[in-house]
Amino acid sequence: MKKRFQPDWRVHILEEIDPERLRMRGIKGAILDIDNTLVPPHTPVADERAKQFVKRLQDAGLKVCIVSNNIYERAQRFSNSLQIPFVCDGTKPNAGPFYKAMDLLGQAPEHIVVIGDQVFTDVWGGNRMGMMTVLVDPICQDENRLIKWKRCMEKFVLKGYRNE
């Protein structure tokens, strides 16, 4: 049960993710979450920090796409600001959005990393697909009740976690 919810790598901020380290591990594609991973929730388009992170991934040779549980308009507007493809209404952790992302990236699961801020959507979804997972601390702590409850459960699941 532990592996299902344990990320392969855990970081506090996006800038701690080394694209070259990912590439050296055979990673060729990256699936990114939007809210509280790349930008604070409800930020309509990518800010400079998100753009620089995506550029670093691309400069390392990784193909990049968004997988979001957001509605089409939100995901499209955000992804357009980065000029990368997207999958929306993702229903993460279900397999469907991850299969669509695999097609967009043209990569097998073992060559894809999922980078997100939630254990029960991003990490669980990526792990069940056989993808590498990176859990990023959420950017903003001002979240709705459901997310706050999930964060409490995440602490329990991650207790004793150690980075590789």
Side-chain angles (χ1 to χ4, degrees), residues 32-35 66-72 74-75 87-94 97-98 118 120-122 147 150:
L32 306 176
D33 177 52
I34 298 174
D35 291 325
I66 296 288
V67 173
S68 175
N69 285 347
N70 279 294
I71 62 171
Y72 179 87
R74 163 91 169 109
V87 177
C88 64
D89 295 325
T91 64
K92 294 181 288 186
N94 292 328
F98 293 99
Q118 291 192 49
F120 299 118
T121 56
D122 307 305
I147 301 295
K150 285 172 36 176

Side-chain angles (χ1 to χ4, degrees), residues 95-153:
F98 293 99
Y99 280 120
K100 289 177 185 175
M102 285 171 44
D103 287 343
L104 289 172
L105 296 171
Q107 298 297 326
E110 63 270 17
H111 297 296
I112 297 175
V113 63
V114 178
I115 301 172
D117 69 297
Q118 291 192 49
V119 169
F120 299 118
T121 56
D122 307 305
V123 172
W124 186 16
N127 284 347
R128 66 193 301 212
M129 297 297 295
M131 298 173 177
M132 180 183 180
T133 54
V134 177
L135 181 66
V136 180
D137 288 347
I139 295 170
C140 176
Q141 303 302 317
D142 185 23
E143 300 173 304
N144 68 44
R145 280 185 172 154
L146 176 61
I147 301 295
K148 285 181 182 181
W149 179 82
K150 285 172 36 176
R151 298 279 185 218
C152 290
M153 299 307 295

Side-chain angles (χ1 to χ4, degrees), residues 72-99:
Y72 179 87
E73 291 79 10
R74 163 91 169 109
Q76 179 190 39
R77 182 173 184 197
F78 191 88
S79 296
N80 285 349
S81 72
L82 291 168
Q83 299 179 340
I84 59 175
F86 68 97
V87 177
C88 64
D89 295 325
T91 64
K92 294 181 288 186
N94 292 328
F98 293 99
Y99 280 120

Side-chain angles (χ1 to χ4, degrees), residues 18-28 60-62:
D18 181 358
E20 284 300 318
R21 180 177 174 193
L22 294 173
R23 195 181 59 73
M24 296 294 281
R25 292 183 66 167
I27 299 300
K28 298 175 183 178
L62 278 66

